[in-house]
Amino acid sequence: MLLRVRVTLPDRPGTLGQVARTLGVSGADIVQVVVLERLGGRAVDDFTVVWPGAARVERLLAGLAAIPGVRVDGVWRAIGAPTTTGQDAELLAQVAANPADGLATLVDAVPGLLAADWAVAAVVPVDWASRTASGGATVGYASWRAPVPLRLPEVTPLRGRSMTTPDGTHHAIVPFGRAGLVLVVAREHSETLSAAAFHSTEVDRLTQLVRASAVILGDRLDLVGTPPVVAGP
């Protein structure tokens, strides 16, 4: 199976090589490395690896924990092949080529781009700011792996952000900037694997995709969540 392994490590020569060797010795075949952050002498790297399905992840975690200064932030299952920012442009081209299904195309594709489990386009009520209780958002479109029934976190159409709900599910939440529409992407917690929270660079990437899609789709977004008009007899 394909796994995403997020590691925080000292940003000094040799440490990345130690991590790569440990992954290999543990049985992982590295197919991609992405540097999410380099700051203050520390780096945050995402490794996408092919992992033997019968092997126990504990072996991998123990090996990484033995490297001085290394911290494992998360290990979770990735869907599909490793992705790059070049695929963002391809996705936007697909949205532009078929705007009638553009929102569905975006929502279905985003989980694969961000190694997430599911995504939804949620519609926040226009009176969200005056409500005394959180919630009230409705689902405009959900990706194929979204759970049923779907429990959304607190969603506001203000800015892109990441958050974690009490059940351990990590979310990235980005507004489209019109019609109270917000894209919610989730990584779920499991008994055997623990996903990492969405990094700020991932939220920024999602924000760029959402903003570009909003420009492409324009007024079509205002119709999301609107009941269809039924002709009378």
Side-chain angles (χ1 to χ4, degrees), residues 30-77:
I30 301 173
V31 293
Q32 186 184 60
V33 182
V34 176
V35 179
L36 297 177
E37 177 183 306
R38 298 181 70 180
L39 183 66
R42 304 284 289 176
V44 180
D45 294 349
D46 267 2
F47 293 83
T48 302
V49 304
V50 177
W51 182 254
R56 297 181 64 86
V57 177
E58 287 83 354
R59 178 186 178 187
L60 172 62
L61 297 177
L64 293 173
I67 305 174
V70 170
R71 184 186 74 232
V72 179
D73 296 328
V75 179
W76 68 102
R77 190 162 186 169

Side-chain angles (χ1 to χ4, degrees), residues 216-227:
I216 294 171
L217 298 177
D219 294 343
R220 291 178 182 272
L221 296 178
D222 297 335
L223 303 177
V224 178
T226 301

